[in-house]
Amino acid sequence: MNFREEQKRKTERIEAVIEKYLPRQEGFQKTLMEAMSYSVRSKGKRLRPMLMEESFRLFGGSTEVIEPFMAALEMIHNYSLVHDDLPAMDNDEYRRGRKTTWVEYGEGMAVLAGDGLLNLAFETAAGAFRFASDFAASGRIAQALQILGNKAGIFGMIGGQTADIEAESGEREMTQELVLFIHEKKTAALIQAAMMIGAVLAGASKEAVDRMEKAAANIGIAFQIQDDILDVTSTTEILGKPVGSDEKNHKLTYVTMNGIEKAKEEVRRLSEEALGILNSFEYKNEFLCELVRSLINREK
Amino acid sequence: MNFREEQKRKTERIEAVIEKYLPRQEGFQKTLMEAMSYSVRSKGKRLRPMLMEESFRLFGGSTEVIEPFMAALEMIHNYSLVHDDLPAMDNDEYRRGRKTTWVEYGEGMAVLAGDGLLNLAFETAAGAFRFASDFAASGRIAQALQILGNKAGIFGMIGGQTADIEAESGEREMTQELVLFIHEKKTAALIQAAMMIGAVLAGASKEAVDRMEKAAANIGIAFQIQDDILDVTSTTEILGKPVGSDEKNHKLTYVTMNGIEKAKEEVRRLSEEALGILNSFEYKNEFLCELVRSLINREK
């Protein structure tokens, strides 16, 4: 089976895992549950749960304990999109070709759907304790929960969102340091959560988990810089969205600040370092390496 | 020391506990952290953490493990107020005589501050595992986390919020069943979380925790019906807010549906049953009983 086929098969399996943890749409909360599922069920690459599961496998993990965390991380990713699209935030009406949650269900329901997904994520992850059969296992789950909270929260993704809306509104001046802060927090933090939690739950050493954190930071930042590069070098046909929008909107990005060549060089450096880390452990996961390459070298 | 003095002293101690878990206001997330603290630091009775701590003491609990959960529950209560006040929800500009978070910091920042508090609540509660010294202790913390998630989430408080905004917008017809559903979920659920988590962390039996859940439901519902009664029987001077607003707004409440006498009778029945439960355990907590009485018999 080639990489694309394997990725497709794995994506389908992950979607079945997530589906298990979505609430049934019934009772007085029916509309809320519909609004929550509307976002989570929209098709995507399920990148974060996939990176989590593959990191878990890299360190020899094979049990179900990873599943509630995979579902939880996808819920957190989706709640952040639902709230990010709100009129009070980015005011986006479409995402992946579908109406956004607030357009479909109203603003109040979109606020509650996001809250509901964030809360359900932690409720779901906390449910993983049912798989713990001894004190050491429950300690790994506790550690995974804390990584999830930390990377999704004010020192992680929410912190990045905050800096991003302040920069876009002009309340905070954009600097190179701030660009990297936003990339690291807004994008890389959930990728770090994915890869660190996978490693922790498989029983990896603290030193290995630290290296996964570093690899994931590189992957997340490279992914974002590649986004900015494509905005300059790609065509609207390939990208499926308007190109050149960063320059038009006078948006300061790593590319507009450093030029295209330096940006490409940085993507190369970050990804080589990340792959070097992934290949430095006792076991290998070739699919994980291929997935990382496909993310960073993508053309759309 | 009389009850009021003791309550005041305990409130101050609880505020010191909560303060320990609030983030320092620094870095690129400074404004976010200010907005989060703005809500949590506004003065209140700290009823939920107080009920939690007193329930913990009722079952002989005496260690620090309760503290992160006390802070977490207060964060959850406050995030729900921050989001509830948003223009897309209740559109309130003032709360307890101060500008609401979105008026003070803007709508986008208020969405993020609420998200930040909800996420920090679970992050804080998950931190309680550092106090677990064996498998049984970590099991109690895991159970407490799941109660927190369940009672705050779509089957608890968020579920009640959803039904409430649908009823107020006329999308859902108000019935007696729906009034009680909203009271139970929107108000009683966090009181249940408080009292159940206190009991669980102190090592109470499953049967005792179930009875605390029942007592807390009664307390929460009685508290809400008392609110509706005061809207009819009190004066603006005593209440500090306009009376008669439910009738004026054609709001259907337990009182407008059943009359004032039946409502008073129901408050009496619910509170007697709750106090009966609290007095049925091996140990007693007179302060807890007095606190419950003061909530239900209050005149403002």
Side-chain angles (χ1 to χ4, degrees):
Chain A
M1 200 174 344
N2 70 26
F3 172 71
R4 288 291 168 207
E5 280 167 19
E6 200 173 348
Q7 186 181 24
K8 186 163 174 287
R9 194 180 52 79
K10 284 179 188 267
T11 305
E12 284 164 8
R13 215 193 64 75
I14 290 170
E15 292 190 333
V17 169
I18 295 165
E19 191 65 32
K20 275 202 295 189
Y21 289 96
L22 290 178
R24 275 182 300 170
Q25 298 172 16
E26 60 186 19
F28 286 125
Q29 308 98 317
K30 189 170 183 294
T31 315
L32 174 72
M33 292 167 182
E34 278 176 24
M36 288 164 65
S37 300
Y38 176 80
S39 168
V40 177
R41 288 211 182 102
S42 76
K43 292 290 166 196
K45 288 192 178 139
R46 312 300 179 184
L47 191 61
R48 291 156 195 81
M50 193 175 284
L51 286 168
M52 187 187 282
E53 189 169 31
E54 295 304 322
S55 300
F56 185 61
R57 302 225 179 289
L58 172 62
F59 292 98
S62 63
T63 63
E64 284 175 293
V65 70
I66 197 73
E67 293 193 353
F69 280 93
M70 291 165 64
L73 191 60
E74 189 67 13
M75 288 173 197
I76 287 178
H77 172 57
N78 274 280
Y79 111 79
S80 79
L81 302 180
V82 170
H83 279 185
D84 218 24
D85 289 335
L86 284 169
M89 307 273 287
D90 286 352
N91 195 21
D92 280 321
E93 295 181 20
Y94 288 89
R95 178 179 286 279
R96 302 175 196 148
R98 294 166 87 213
K99 285 182 189 164
T100 49
T101 306
W102 73 269
V103 174
E104 190 71 23
Y105 291 93
E107 272 186 72
M109 197 58 80
V111 172
L112 289 170
D115 294 346
L117 283 169
L118 175 54
N119 192 101
L120 187 61
F122 284 104
E123 205 179 336
T124 301
F129 282 101
R130 72 181 180 279
F131 298 115
S133 54
D134 58 29
F135 190 42
S138 80
R140 288 192 292 273
I141 295 167
Q143 198 191 337
L145 263 180
Q146 283 182 277
I147 292 168
L148 188 67
N150 180 263
K151 295 297 180 186
I154 55 178
F155 300 105
M157 184 184 67
I158 297 173
Q161 295 270 51
T162 306
D164 197 23
I165 68 164
E166 286 192 322
E168 297 219 337
S169 71
E171 283 165 62
R172 194 179 280 284
E173 195 197 352
M174 193 58 106
T175 60
Q176 180 98 323
E177 190 196 358
L178 184 54
V179 167
L180 289 175
F181 177 87
I182 292 171
H183 285 358
E184 189 177 332
K185 301 297 180 181
K186 196 173 162 175
T187 308
L190 287 197
I191 293 177
Q192 291 181 309
M195 297 177 66
M196 292 169 75
I197 290 171
V200 162
L201 291 179
S205 68
K206 186 188 175 310
E207 195 246 328
V209 175
D210 288 347
R211 277 151 73 202
M212 291 297 271
E213 183 173 24
K214 170 72 180 147
N218 280 19
I219 294 165
I221 294 168
F223 183 86
Q224 269 304 327
I225 297 178
Q226 182 66 9
D227 231 35
D228 302 335
I229 292 173
L230 291 174
D231 188 74
V232 175
T233 61
S234 191
T235 65
T236 302
E237 288 66 39
I238 292 174
L239 216 54
K241 63 180 182 183
V243 294
S245 60
D246 291 344
E247 200 186 343
K248 203 177 68 188
N249 299 330
H250 305 288
K251 195 173 162 184
L252 291 173
T253 70
Y254 192 90
V255 173
T256 57
M257 284 179 171
N258 299 284
I260 198 90
E261 284 315 312
K262 177 133 191 262
K264 283 183 176 175
E265 174 52 36
E266 184 65 2
V267 168
R268 205 154 33 229
R269 188 188 69 76
L270 289 166
S271 62
E272 272 167 23
E273 195 178 45
L275 289 166
I277 294 172
L278 294 181
N279 282 313
S280 71
F281 301 109
E282 190 182 352
Y283 299 102
K284 309 289 166 212
N285 181 336
E286 191 41 51
F287 179 84
L288 176 58
C289 293
E290 195 59 43
L291 180 62
V292 168
R293 274 183 221 108
S294 78
L295 286 176
I296 294 173
N297 302 325
R298 74 196 193 284
E299 294 186 348
K300 64 175 185 175
Chain B
M1 204 177 336
N2 70 25
F3 172 71
R4 288 291 167 208
E5 281 167 17
E6 200 172 348
Q7 187 181 22
K8 184 162 175 287
R9 194 181 52 81
K10 283 177 189 268
T11 305
E12 283 164 6
R13 213 192 66 75
I14 290 170
E15 292 189 333
V17 169
I18 295 165
E19 192 64 33
K20 274 202 298 191
Y21 290 97
L22 290 179
R24 274 182 301 169
Q25 298 172 15
E26 60 186 21
F28 286 126
Q29 308 98 317
K30 188 170 186 292
T31 315
L32 174 72
M33 291 166 182
E34 277 176 23
M36 288 164 66
S37 299
Y38 176 79
S39 168
V40 177
R41 288 210 181 105
S42 77
K43 292 290 166 195
K45 288 192 178 141
R46 312 300 180 183
L47 191 60
R48 290 155 196 81
M50 192 175 287
L51 286 168
M52 187 186 281
E53 189 168 32
E54 295 305 321
S55 300
F56 185 62
R57 303 226 177 287
L58 172 62
F59 292 98
S62 63
T63 62
E64 283 176 294
V65 70
I66 197 74
E67 293 192 354
F69 280 94
M70 291 165 63
L73 191 60
E74 190 67 12
M75 288 173 196
I76 287 179
H77 172 56
N78 275 280
Y79 111 79
S80 80
L81 301 180
V82 171
H83 280 184
D84 218 25
D85 288 335
L86 285 169
M89 306 275 285
D90 287 353
N91 194 22
D92 281 320
E93 295 181 21
Y94 288 90
R95 177 177 289 278
R96 302 176 196 148
R98 293 166 87 213
K99 285 182 190 164
T100 49
T101 306
W102 73 269
V103 173
E104 190 72 24
Y105 292 92
E107 272 187 71
M109 197 57 80
V111 172
L112 289 170
D115 294 347
L117 283 169
L118 175 54
N119 193 101
L120 187 61
F122 284 104
E123 204 178 338
T124 301
F129 282 101
R130 72 180 179 279
F131 298 116
S133 54
D134 59 28
F135 190 41
S138 80
R140 288 191 292 273
I141 295 167
Q143 197 191 337
L145 263 180
Q146 284 183 276
I147 292 168
L148 188 67
N150 179 266
K151 295 297 180 184
I154 56 179
F155 300 105
M157 183 184 69
I158 297 173
Q161 295 269 50
T162 307
D164 198 22
I165 69 164
E166 286 193 320
E168 297 217 337
S169 71
E171 282 166 63
R172 194 178 278 285
E173 195 196 351
M174 192 57 107
T175 60
Q176 179 97 323
E177 191 195 355
L178 184 54
V179 168
L180 289 175
F181 177 87
I182 292 171
H183 285 358
E184 190 178 331
K185 300 297 180 182
K186 196 174 162 173
T187 309
L190 287 197
I191 293 178
Q192 291 181 307
M195 297 177 66
M196 292 168 75
I197 290 171
V200 162
L201 291 179
S205 68
K206 186 187 174 311
E207 196 245 329
V209 175
D210 288 347
R211 278 152 72 202
M212 291 297 273
E213 182 173 25
K214 170 72 180 146
N218 280 18
I219 293 166
I221 294 168
F223 183 86
Q224 269 303 327
I225 297 178
Q226 183 67 12
D227 231 34
D228 300 336
I229 292 173
L230 291 174
D231 188 74
V232 175
T233 61
S234 191
T235 66
T236 302
E237 287 67 39
I238 293 174
L239 217 54
K241 64 180 181 183
V243 294
S245 61
D246 291 345
E247 200 186 344
K248 202 177 69 190
N249 299 331
H250 304 289
K251 194 172 162 188
L252 291 173
T253 70
Y254 193 89
V255 173
T256 57
M257 283 180 169
N258 298 283
I260 199 90
E261 282 316 311
K262 178 132 190 264
K264 284 183 175 174
E265 175 52 36
E266 185 64 1
V267 168
R268 204 151 37 227
R269 188 188 70 75
L270 290 165
S271 61
E272 272 168 22
E273 195 178 45
L275 290 166
I277 294 171
L278 293 181
N279 282 313
S280 71
F281 301 109
E282 191 183 350
Y283 299 101
K284 310 291 165 210
N285 182 335
E286 190 42 49
F287 179 83
L288 176 58
C289 292
E290 195 59 44
L291 179 63
V292 168
R293 272 184 223 109
S294 78
L295 287 175
I296 294 173
N297 302 326
R298 75 197 193 284
E299 292 186 352
K300 65 175 185 175

